[in-house]
mmCIF file of all heavy atoms in Angstrom:
data_model
loop_
_atom_site.group_PDB
_atom_site.id
_atom_site.type_symbol
_atom_site.label_atom_id
_atom_site.label_comp_id
_atom_site.label_asym_id
_atom_site.label_seq_id
_atom_site.Cartn_x
_atom_site.Cartn_y
_atom_site.Cartn_z
ATOM 1 N N GLY A 193 -64.293 -149.013 -72.840
ATOM 2 C CA GLY A 193 -64.611 -150.425 -72.637
ATOM 3 C C GLY A 193 -63.883 -151.313 -73.439
ATOM 4 O O GLY A 193 -63.013 -151.061 -74.440
ATOM 5 N N VAL A 194 -63.974 -152.629 -73.201
ATOM 6 C CA VAL A 194 -63.225 -153.631 -73.954
ATOM 7 C C VAL A 194 -63.709 -153.801 -75.443
ATOM 8 O O VAL A 194 -62.930 -153.887 -76.305
ATOM 9 C CB VAL A 194 -63.345 -154.953 -73.213
ATOM 10 C CG1 VAL A 194 -62.662 -156.223 -74.040
ATOM 11 C CG2 VAL A 194 -62.753 -155.017 -71.832
ATOM 12 N N GLU A 195 -64.978 -153.761 -75.610
ATOM 13 C CA GLU A 195 -65.534 -153.927 -76.949
ATOM 14 C C GLU A 195 -65.831 -152.498 -77.467
ATOM 15 O O GLU A 195 -66.940 -152.032 -77.779
ATOM 16 C CB GLU A 195 -66.811 -154.727 -76.974
ATOM 17 C CG GLU A 195 -66.554 -156.160 -76.715
ATOM 18 C CD GLU A 195 -67.694 -157.048 -76.695
ATOM 19 O OE1 GLU A 195 -68.835 -156.564 -76.621
ATOM 20 O OE2 GLU A 195 -67.551 -158.316 -76.871
ATOM 21 N N ARG A 196 -64.767 -151.646 -77.385
ATOM 22 C CA ARG A 196 -64.765 -150.211 -77.832
ATOM 23 C C ARG A 196 -65.203 -150.019 -79.158
ATOM 24 O O ARG A 196 -64.799 -150.642 -80.053
ATOM 25 C CB ARG A 196 -63.463 -149.513 -77.349
ATOM 26 C CG ARG A 196 -62.309 -150.088 -78.187
ATOM 27 C CD ARG A 196 -61.019 -149.519 -77.684
ATOM 28 N NE ARG A 196 -60.870 -149.918 -76.334
ATOM 29 C CZ ARG A 196 -60.114 -149.281 -75.450
ATOM 30 N NH1 ARG A 196 -59.405 -148.265 -75.823
ATOM 31 N NH2 ARG A 196 -60.021 -149.602 -74.132
ATOM 32 N N GLU A 197 -66.082 -148.926 -79.410
ATOM 33 C CA GLU A 197 -66.394 -148.614 -80.764
ATOM 34 C C GLU A 197 -65.118 -147.857 -81.404
ATOM 35 O O GLU A 197 -64.538 -146.898 -80.857
ATOM 36 C CB GLU A 197 -67.597 -147.662 -80.730
ATOM 37 C CG GLU A 197 -68.164 -147.428 -82.082
ATOM 38 C CD GLU A 197 -69.524 -146.791 -82.002
ATOM 39 O OE1 GLU A 197 -70.193 -146.610 -80.931
ATOM 40 O OE2 GLU A 197 -70.082 -146.311 -83.053
ATOM 41 N N LEU A 198 -64.951 -148.200 -82.649
ATOM 42 C CA LEU A 198 -63.898 -147.530 -83.410
ATOM 43 C C LEU A 198 -64.638 -146.328 -84.083
ATOM 44 O O LEU A 198 -65.588 -146.555 -84.748
ATOM 45 C CB LEU A 198 -63.303 -148.473 -84.464
ATOM 46 C CG LEU A 198 -62.672 -149.674 -83.815
ATOM 47 C CD1 LEU A 198 -61.998 -150.709 -84.992
ATOM 48 C CD2 LEU A 198 -61.656 -149.444 -82.770
ATOM 49 N N VAL A 199 -64.090 -145.142 -83.929
ATOM 50 C CA VAL A 199 -64.781 -143.954 -84.428
ATOM 51 C C VAL A 199 -63.832 -143.196 -85.403
ATOM 52 O O VAL A 199 -64.327 -142.883 -86.367
ATOM 53 C CB VAL A 199 -65.114 -142.996 -83.136
ATOM 54 C CG1 VAL A 199 -65.733 -141.686 -83.791
ATOM 55 C CG2 VAL A 199 -65.897 -143.703 -82.128
ATOM 56 N N THR A 200 -62.657 -142.875 -85.070
ATOM 57 C CA THR A 200 -61.765 -142.047 -85.892
ATOM 58 C C THR A 200 -60.908 -142.879 -86.952
ATOM 59 O O THR A 200 -60.758 -144.085 -86.558
ATOM 60 C CB THR A 200 -60.886 -141.151 -85.013
ATOM 61 O OG1 THR A 200 -59.915 -142.071 -84.276
ATOM 62 C CG2 THR A 200 -61.587 -140.328 -84.035
ATOM 63 N N ASP A 201 -60.329 -142.242 -87.879
ATOM 64 C CA ASP A 201 -59.407 -142.953 -88.700
ATOM 65 C C ASP A 201 -58.283 -143.607 -87.900
ATOM 66 O O ASP A 201 -57.814 -144.804 -88.181
ATOM 67 C CB ASP A 201 -58.929 -142.062 -89.749
ATOM 68 C CG ASP A 201 -59.889 -141.706 -90.861
ATOM 69 O OD1 ASP A 201 -60.986 -142.347 -90.889
ATOM 70 O OD2 ASP A 201 -59.742 -140.701 -91.554
ATOM 71 N N ALA A 202 -57.736 -142.860 -87.050
ATOM 72 C CA ALA A 202 -56.599 -143.388 -86.072
ATOM 73 C C ALA A 202 -57.032 -144.731 -85.397
ATOM 74 O O ALA A 202 -56.242 -145.545 -85.208
ATOM 75 C CB ALA A 202 -56.257 -142.261 -85.110
ATOM 76 N N HIS A 203 -58.326 -144.752 -84.937
ATOM 77 C CA HIS A 203 -58.704 -145.914 -84.232
ATOM 78 C C HIS A 203 -58.575 -147.063 -85.119
ATOM 79 O O HIS A 203 -58.132 -148.236 -84.789
ATOM 80 C CB HIS A 203 -60.210 -145.806 -83.832
ATOM 81 C CG HIS A 203 -60.391 -144.769 -82.739
ATOM 82 N ND1 HIS A 203 -61.659 -144.216 -82.338
ATOM 83 C CD2 HIS A 203 -59.499 -144.171 -81.852
ATOM 84 C CE1 HIS A 203 -61.485 -143.397 -81.367
ATOM 85 N NE2 HIS A 203 -60.292 -143.255 -81.001
ATOM 86 N N PHE A 204 -59.229 -146.911 -86.392
ATOM 87 C CA PHE A 204 -59.230 -148.070 -87.307
ATOM 88 C C PHE A 204 -57.872 -148.457 -87.741
ATOM 89 O O PHE A 204 -57.495 -149.698 -87.699
ATOM 90 C CB PHE A 204 -60.005 -147.597 -88.537
ATOM 91 C CG PHE A 204 -61.500 -147.696 -88.353
ATOM 92 C CD1 PHE A 204 -62.290 -146.616 -87.948
ATOM 93 C CD2 PHE A 204 -62.296 -148.857 -88.615
ATOM 94 C CE1 PHE A 204 -63.549 -146.587 -87.735
ATOM 95 C CE2 PHE A 204 -63.530 -148.938 -88.430
ATOM 96 C CZ PHE A 204 -64.237 -147.675 -87.971
ATOM 97 N N GLU A 205 -56.985 -147.497 -87.856
ATOM 98 C CA GLU A 205 -55.528 -147.913 -88.273
ATOM 99 C C GLU A 205 -54.889 -148.549 -87.225
ATOM 100 O O GLU A 205 -54.075 -149.444 -87.360
ATOM 101 C CB GLU A 205 -54.811 -146.550 -88.708
ATOM 102 C CG GLU A 205 -55.371 -145.985 -90.026
ATOM 103 C CD GLU A 205 -55.013 -144.471 -90.318
ATOM 104 O OE1 GLU A 205 -54.278 -143.912 -89.341
ATOM 105 O OE2 GLU A 205 -55.529 -143.974 -91.305
ATOM 106 N N LYS A 206 -55.024 -148.215 -86.017
ATOM 107 C CA LYS A 206 -54.331 -148.820 -84.775
ATOM 108 C C LYS A 206 -54.735 -150.365 -84.595
ATOM 109 O O LYS A 206 -53.996 -151.065 -84.130
ATOM 110 C CB LYS A 206 -54.856 -147.990 -83.613
ATOM 111 C CG LYS A 206 -54.158 -148.474 -82.252
ATOM 112 C CD LYS A 206 -54.607 -147.645 -81.018
ATOM 113 C CE LYS A 206 -53.965 -148.147 -79.806
ATOM 114 N NZ LYS A 206 -54.270 -147.196 -78.618
ATOM 115 N N TYR A 207 -56.079 -150.602 -85.022
ATOM 116 C CA TYR A 207 -56.582 -151.947 -84.842
ATOM 117 C C TYR A 207 -56.649 -152.867 -85.938
ATOM 118 O O TYR A 207 -57.465 -153.840 -85.953
ATOM 119 C CB TYR A 207 -57.925 -151.864 -84.041
ATOM 120 C CG TYR A 207 -57.712 -151.364 -82.506
ATOM 121 C CD1 TYR A 207 -57.936 -150.108 -82.205
ATOM 122 C CD2 TYR A 207 -57.240 -152.292 -81.674
ATOM 123 C CE1 TYR A 207 -57.720 -149.672 -80.889
ATOM 124 C CE2 TYR A 207 -56.951 -151.888 -80.238
ATOM 125 C CZ TYR A 207 -57.224 -150.517 -79.904
ATOM 126 O OH TYR A 207 -57.100 -150.129 -78.649
ATOM 127 N N ILE A 208 -55.859 -152.485 -87.079
ATOM 128 C CA ILE A 208 -55.864 -153.384 -88.148
ATOM 129 C C ILE A 208 -55.205 -154.700 -87.655
ATOM 130 O O ILE A 208 -54.225 -154.657 -86.935
ATOM 131 C CB ILE A 208 -54.983 -152.801 -89.238
ATOM 132 C CG1 ILE A 208 -55.729 -151.676 -90.042
ATOM 133 C CG2 ILE A 208 -54.597 -153.810 -90.403
ATOM 134 C CD1 ILE A 208 -54.900 -150.844 -90.985
ATOM 135 N N GLY A 209 -55.866 -155.726 -88.063
ATOM 136 C CA GLY A 209 -55.339 -157.156 -87.569
ATOM 137 C C GLY A 209 -56.083 -157.556 -86.364
ATOM 138 O O GLY A 209 -56.027 -158.745 -85.871
ATOM 139 N N SER A 210 -57.048 -156.761 -85.790
ATOM 140 C CA SER A 210 -57.789 -157.108 -84.714
ATOM 141 C C SER A 210 -59.140 -157.734 -85.079
ATOM 142 O O SER A 210 -59.700 -157.337 -86.161
ATOM 143 C CB SER A 210 -57.985 -155.949 -83.770
ATOM 144 O OG SER A 210 -56.780 -155.470 -83.237
ATOM 145 N N ASP A 211 -59.760 -158.412 -84.199
ATOM 146 C CA ASP A 211 -61.117 -159.007 -84.402
ATOM 147 C C ASP A 211 -62.140 -157.827 -84.285
ATOM 148 O O ASP A 211 -62.050 -157.042 -83.246
ATOM 149 C CB ASP A 211 -61.459 -160.130 -83.532
ATOM 150 C CG ASP A 211 -60.722 -161.331 -83.876
ATOM 151 O OD1 ASP A 211 -60.351 -161.479 -85.048
ATOM 152 O OD2 ASP A 211 -60.466 -162.226 -82.932
ATOM 153 N N VAL A 212 -63.034 -157.671 -85.169
ATOM 154 C CA VAL A 212 -64.056 -156.632 -84.954
ATOM 155 C C VAL A 212 -65.488 -157.287 -85.355
ATOM 156 O O VAL A 212 -65.619 -158.278 -85.903
ATOM 157 C CB VAL A 212 -63.844 -155.478 -85.918
ATOM 158 C CG1 VAL A 212 -62.491 -154.742 -85.671
ATOM 159 C CG2 VAL A 212 -63.863 -155.822 -87.382
ATOM 160 N N MET A 213 -66.486 -156.506 -84.777
ATOM 161 C CA MET A 213 -67.810 -156.757 -85.177
ATOM 162 C C MET A 213 -68.444 -155.513 -85.670
ATOM 163 O O MET A 213 -68.143 -154.445 -85.267
ATOM 164 C CB MET A 213 -68.590 -157.329 -84.034
ATOM 165 C CG MET A 213 -68.591 -156.517 -82.696
ATOM 166 S SD MET A 213 -69.349 -157.472 -81.391
ATOM 167 C CE MET A 213 -68.776 -156.417 -80.034
ATOM 168 N N LEU A 214 -69.218 -155.579 -86.753
ATOM 169 C CA LEU A 214 -69.869 -154.395 -87.308
ATOM 170 C C LEU A 214 -71.269 -154.675 -87.703
ATOM 171 O O LEU A 214 -71.685 -155.779 -87.846
ATOM 172 C CB LEU A 214 -69.121 -153.843 -88.467
ATOM 173 C CG LEU A 214 -68.982 -154.768 -89.847
ATOM 174 C CD1 LEU A 214 -70.066 -154.623 -90.714
ATOM 175 C CD2 LEU A 214 -67.689 -154.340 -90.503
ATOM 176 N N ARG A 215 -71.919 -153.632 -87.709
ATOM 177 C CA ARG A 215 -73.393 -153.725 -88.008
ATOM 178 C C ARG A 215 -73.605 -152.686 -89.223
ATOM 179 O O ARG A 215 -73.191 -151.555 -89.103
ATOM 180 C CB ARG A 215 -74.313 -153.259 -86.821
ATOM 181 C CG ARG A 215 -75.910 -153.205 -87.300
ATOM 182 C CD ARG A 215 -76.769 -153.083 -86.173
ATOM 183 N NE ARG A 215 -76.775 -154.387 -85.454
ATOM 184 C CZ ARG A 215 -77.010 -154.484 -84.154
ATOM 185 N NH1 ARG A 215 -77.302 -153.496 -83.381
ATOM 186 N NH2 ARG A 215 -76.872 -155.688 -83.581
ATOM 187 N N LEU A 216 -74.225 -153.261 -90.324
ATOM 188 C CA LEU A 216 -74.454 -152.362 -91.442
ATOM 189 C C LEU A 216 -75.752 -151.510 -91.269
ATOM 190 O O LEU A 216 -76.783 -152.101 -90.665
ATOM 191 C CB LEU A 216 -74.623 -153.192 -92.752
ATOM 192 C CG LEU A 216 -73.355 -153.942 -93.106
ATOM 193 C CD1 LEU A 216 -73.727 -154.851 -94.384
ATOM 194 C CD2 LEU A 216 -72.205 -153.023 -93.420
ATOM 195 N N ILE A 217 -75.927 -150.398 -91.816
ATOM 196 C CA ILE A 217 -77.128 -149.552 -91.784
ATOM 197 C C ILE A 217 -78.164 -150.329 -92.688
ATOM 198 O O ILE A 217 -79.296 -150.482 -92.195
ATOM 199 C CB ILE A 217 -76.890 -148.136 -92.247
ATOM 200 C CG1 ILE A 217 -75.962 -147.404 -91.391
ATOM 201 C CG2 ILE A 217 -78.136 -147.472 -92.386
ATOM 202 C CD1 ILE A 217 -75.515 -146.103 -91.793
ATOM 203 N N ARG A 218 -77.750 -150.938 -93.722
ATOM 204 C CA ARG A 218 -78.776 -151.510 -94.672
ATOM 205 C C ARG A 218 -78.011 -152.963 -94.903
ATOM 206 O O ARG A 218 -76.929 -153.067 -95.120
ATOM 207 C CB ARG A 218 -78.813 -150.842 -96.068
ATOM 208 C CG ARG A 218 -79.549 -149.526 -95.997
ATOM 209 C CD ARG A 218 -79.684 -148.777 -97.305
ATOM 210 N NE ARG A 218 -78.536 -147.940 -97.549
ATOM 211 C CZ ARG A 218 -78.078 -146.947 -96.727
ATOM 212 N NH1 ARG A 218 -78.466 -146.806 -95.524
ATOM 213 N NH2 ARG A 218 -76.997 -146.192 -97.116
ATOM 214 N N PRO A 219 -78.924 -153.847 -94.613
ATOM 215 C CA PRO A 219 -78.444 -155.322 -94.760
ATOM 216 C C PRO A 219 -77.813 -155.628 -96.236
ATOM 217 O O PRO A 219 -78.045 -155.076 -97.166
ATOM 218 C CB PRO A 219 -79.673 -156.170 -94.633
ATOM 219 C CG PRO A 219 -80.707 -155.297 -94.052
ATOM 220 C CD PRO A 219 -80.298 -153.908 -94.471
ATOM 221 N N LYS A 220 -76.812 -156.453 -96.155
ATOM 222 C CA LYS A 220 -76.276 -156.952 -97.358
ATOM 223 C C LYS A 220 -76.491 -158.516 -97.337
ATOM 224 O O LYS A 220 -76.160 -159.302 -96.538
ATOM 225 C CB LYS A 220 -74.566 -156.843 -97.258
ATOM 226 C CG LYS A 220 -73.911 -157.248 -98.517
ATOM 227 C CD LYS A 220 -72.478 -156.969 -98.273
ATOM 228 C CE LYS A 220 -71.848 -157.229 -99.623
ATOM 229 N NZ LYS A 220 -70.463 -156.573 -99.786
ATOM 230 N N ASP A 221 -77.341 -158.877 -98.449
ATOM 231 C CA ASP A 221 -77.826 -160.318 -98.520
ATOM 232 C C ASP A 221 -78.578 -160.642 -97.384
ATOM 233 O O ASP A 221 -78.397 -161.747 -96.764
ATOM 234 C CB ASP A 221 -76.628 -161.259 -98.887
ATOM 235 C CG ASP A 221 -75.852 -160.927 -100.125
ATOM 236 O OD1 ASP A 221 -76.480 -160.489 -101.150
ATOM 237 O OD2 ASP A 221 -74.609 -161.159 -100.125
ATOM 238 N N LYS A 222 -79.369 -159.770 -96.770
ATOM 239 C CA LYS A 222 -80.238 -159.914 -95.707
ATOM 240 C C LYS A 222 -79.642 -160.106 -94.273
ATOM 241 O O LYS A 222 -80.144 -160.550 -93.393
ATOM 242 C CB LYS A 222 -81.221 -161.065 -95.931
ATOM 243 C CG LYS A 222 -82.097 -160.943 -97.190
ATOM 244 C CD LYS A 222 -82.951 -162.163 -97.385
ATOM 245 C CE LYS A 222 -83.878 -161.950 -98.598
ATOM 246 N NZ LYS A 222 -84.940 -162.974 -98.806
ATOM 247 N N VAL A 223 -78.240 -159.766 -94.374
ATOM 248 C CA VAL A 223 -77.502 -159.813 -93.074
ATOM 249 C C VAL A 223 -76.968 -158.380 -92.756
ATOM 250 O O VAL A 223 -76.439 -157.745 -93.608
ATOM 251 C CB VAL A 223 -76.220 -160.855 -93.236
ATOM 252 C CG1 VAL A 223 -75.477 -160.900 -91.956
ATOM 253 C CG2 VAL A 223 -76.869 -162.203 -93.710
ATOM 254 N N ARG A 224 -77.080 -158.074 -91.485
ATOM 255 C CA ARG A 224 -76.587 -156.680 -91.016
ATOM 256 C C ARG A 224 -75.377 -156.806 -90.156
ATOM 257 O O ARG A 224 -74.598 -155.848 -89.977
ATOM 258 C CB ARG A 224 -77.712 -156.102 -90.230
ATOM 259 C CG ARG A 224 -78.821 -155.588 -91.129
ATOM 260 C CD ARG A 224 -79.840 -154.782 -90.411
ATOM 261 N NE ARG A 224 -79.256 -153.614 -89.776
ATOM 262 C CZ ARG A 224 -79.896 -152.754 -89.072
ATOM 263 N NH1 ARG A 224 -81.174 -152.931 -88.804
ATOM 264 N NH2 ARG A 224 -79.388 -151.690 -88.480
ATOM 265 N N ASP A 225 -75.210 -158.009 -89.419
ATOM 266 C CA ASP A 225 -74.117 -158.046 -88.396
ATOM 267 C C ASP A 225 -73.057 -159.038 -88.925
ATOM 268 O O ASP A 225 -73.441 -160.190 -89.302
ATOM 269 C CB ASP A 225 -74.664 -158.618 -87.059
ATOM 270 C CG ASP A 225 -75.694 -157.555 -86.449
ATOM 271 O OD1 ASP A 225 -75.400 -156.407 -86.482
ATOM 272 O OD2 ASP A 225 -76.759 -158.028 -85.943
ATOM 273 N N PHE A 226 -71.816 -158.656 -88.886
ATOM 274 C CA PHE A 226 -70.794 -159.320 -89.344
ATOM 275 C C PHE A 226 -69.571 -159.208 -88.298
ATOM 276 O O PHE A 226 -69.448 -158.208 -87.538
ATOM 277 C CB PHE A 226 -70.213 -158.843 -90.605
ATOM 278 C CG PHE A 226 -71.109 -158.905 -91.710
ATOM 279 C CD1 PHE A 226 -72.049 -157.868 -92.104
ATOM 280 C CD2 PHE A 226 -71.073 -160.004 -92.628
ATOM 281 C CE1 PHE A 226 -72.918 -158.005 -93.085
ATOM 282 C CE2 PHE A 226 -71.973 -160.158 -93.592
ATOM 283 C CZ PHE A 226 -72.901 -159.177 -93.909
ATOM 284 N N SER A 227 -68.669 -160.284 -88.238
ATOM 285 C CA SER A 227 -67.594 -160.238 -87.427
ATOM 286 C C SER A 227 -66.382 -160.936 -88.162
ATOM 287 O O SER A 227 -66.623 -161.751 -89.001
ATOM 288 C CB SER A 227 -67.797 -160.948 -85.962
ATOM 289 O OG SER A 227 -68.073 -162.203 -86.208
ATOM 290 N N GLY A 228 -65.242 -160.524 -87.831
ATOM 291 C CA GLY A 228 -63.949 -161.135 -88.381
ATOM 292 C C GLY A 228 -62.860 -160.281 -88.092
ATOM 293 O O GLY A 228 -62.934 -159.288 -87.289
ATOM 294 N N LYS A 229 -61.731 -160.538 -88.685
ATOM 295 C CA LYS A 229 -60.524 -159.839 -88.531
ATOM 296 C C LYS A 229 -60.355 -158.678 -89.466
ATOM 297 O O LYS A 229 -60.531 -158.892 -90.772
ATOM 298 C CB LYS A 229 -59.220 -160.761 -88.771
ATOM 299 C CG LYS A 229 -57.970 -160.168 -88.353
ATOM 300 C CD LYS A 229 -56.823 -161.166 -88.501
ATOM 301 C CE LYS A 229 -56.805 -162.246 -87.437
ATOM 302 N NZ LYS A 229 -56.709 -161.897 -86.155
ATOM 303 N N MET A 230 -60.149 -157.378 -89.097
ATOM 304 C CA MET A 230 -59.967 -156.287 -89.852
ATOM 305 C C MET A 230 -58.654 -156.476 -90.475
ATOM 306 O O MET A 230 -57.669 -156.336 -89.810
ATOM 307 C CB MET A 230 -60.184 -154.994 -89.192
ATOM 308 C CG MET A 230 -60.130 -153.771 -90.035
ATOM 309 S SD MET A 230 -60.560 -152.225 -89.190
ATOM 310 C CE MET A 230 -59.553 -152.141 -87.721
ATOM 311 N N ILE A 231 -58.590 -156.595 -91.778
ATOM 312 C CA ILE A 231 -57.261 -156.714 -92.497
ATOM 313 C C ILE A 231 -56.849 -155.514 -93.253
ATOM 314 O O ILE A 231 -55.648 -155.373 -93.568
ATOM 315 C CB ILE A 231 -57.339 -157.907 -93.501
ATOM 316 C CG1 ILE A 231 -58.445 -157.661 -94.493
ATOM 317 C CG2 ILE A 231 -57.503 -159.255 -92.732
ATOM 318 C CD1 ILE A 231 -58.428 -158.914 -95.522
ATOM 319 N N SER A 232 -57.816 -154.470 -93.399
ATOM 320 C CA SER A 232 -57.400 -153.295 -93.989
ATOM 321 C C SER A 232 -58.387 -152.141 -93.687
ATOM 322 O O SER A 232 -59.591 -152.411 -93.404
ATOM 323 C CB SER A 232 -57.453 -153.532 -95.609
ATOM 324 O OG SER A 232 -57.171 -152.383 -96.265
ATOM 325 N N TYR A 233 -57.758 -150.938 -93.706
ATOM 326 C CA TYR A 233 -58.582 -149.736 -93.644
ATOM 327 C C TYR A 233 -57.911 -148.587 -94.314
ATOM 328 O O TYR A 233 -56.715 -148.276 -94.039
ATOM 329 C CB TYR A 233 -58.816 -149.364 -92.180
ATOM 330 C CG TYR A 233 -59.486 -148.056 -91.955
ATOM 331 C CD1 TYR A 233 -60.951 -148.031 -92.058
ATOM 332 C CD2 TYR A 233 -58.923 -146.849 -91.827
ATOM 333 C CE1 TYR A 233 -61.631 -146.820 -92.023
ATOM 334 C CE2 TYR A 233 -59.660 -145.602 -91.788
ATOM 335 C CZ TYR A 233 -61.035 -145.698 -91.843
ATOM 336 O OH TYR A 233 -61.759 -144.531 -91.768
ATOM 337 N N GLU A 234 -58.700 -148.074 -95.297
ATOM 338 C CA GLU A 234 -57.959 -146.918 -96.077
ATOM 339 C C GLU A 234 -59.226 -146.071 -96.586
ATOM 340 O O GLU A 234 -60.181 -146.533 -97.282
ATOM 341 C CB GLU A 234 -57.287 -147.613 -97.174
ATOM 342 C CG GLU A 234 -56.451 -146.635 -98.053
ATOM 343 C CD GLU A 234 -55.571 -147.128 -99.049
ATOM 344 O OE1 GLU A 234 -54.945 -148.218 -98.766
ATOM 345 O OE2 GLU A 234 -55.480 -146.587 -100.143
ATOM 346 N N SER A 235 -59.095 -144.718 -96.314
ATOM 347 C CA SER A 235 -60.036 -143.763 -96.933
ATOM 348 C C SER A 235 -61.460 -144.211 -96.578
ATOM 349 O O SER A 235 -62.388 -144.021 -97.389
ATOM 350 C CB SER A 235 -59.914 -143.604 -98.397
ATOM 351 O OG SER A 235 -58.603 -143.221 -98.801
ATOM 352 N N GLY A 236 -61.659 -144.622 -95.276
ATOM 353 C CA GLY A 236 -62.988 -144.976 -94.899
ATOM 354 C C GLY A 236 -63.515 -146.302 -95.261
ATOM 355 O O GLY A 236 -64.619 -146.804 -94.867
ATOM 356 N N ASN A 237 -62.731 -147.176 -96.092
ATOM 357 C CA ASN A 237 -63.046 -148.427 -96.489
ATOM 358 C C ASN A 237 -62.429 -149.476 -95.568
ATOM 359 O O ASN A 237 -61.298 -149.535 -95.367
ATOM 360 C CB ASN A 237 -62.665 -148.724 -97.922
ATOM 361 C CG ASN A 237 -63.384 -149.916 -98.516
ATOM 362 O OD1 ASN A 237 -64.484 -150.005 -98.458
ATOM 363 N ND2 ASN A 237 -62.532 -150.773 -99.106
ATOM 364 N N ILE A 238 -63.355 -150.321 -95.035
ATOM 365 C CA ILE A 238 -63.009 -151.381 -94.215
ATOM 366 C C ILE A 238 -62.952 -152.761 -94.789
ATOM 367 O O ILE A 238 -64.077 -152.949 -95.448
ATOM 368 C CB ILE A 238 -63.898 -151.398 -92.905
ATOM 369 C CG1 ILE A 238 -64.114 -150.055 -92.199
ATOM 370 C CG2 ILE A 238 -63.566 -152.488 -91.963
ATOM 371 C CD1 ILE A 238 -65.265 -149.826 -91.412
#
């Protein structure tokens, strides 16, 4: 689909520079959903 889920490291690396939306398992400052441009991905860190 268009709003495809990124799963593997290769998926994340391929879409650096793309707009993404993510949901945290545990909220950060009471917020779980974020969106923006993925500017980096390395060793599982987004």
Side-chain angles (χ1 to χ4, degrees):
V194 176
E195 291 180 346
R196 61 193 56 209
E197 187 170 352
L198 304 181
V199 181
T200 68
D201 289 343
H203 294 162
F204 283 90
E205 291 161 3
K206 180 177 181 178
Y207 288 101
I208 290 174
S210 297
D211 291 332
V212 296
M213 53 188 163
L214 64 83
R215 176 168 291 153
L216 298 175
I217 295 170
R218 286 173 279 310
K220 182 174 186 161
D221 300 325
K222 299 183 182 180
V223 179
R224 290 182 60 180
D225 296 318
F226 295 88
S227 63
K229 185 175 295 295
M230 183 170 50
I231 57 175
S232 175
Y233 177 81
E234 188 173 323
S235 302
N237 195 51
I238 307 160

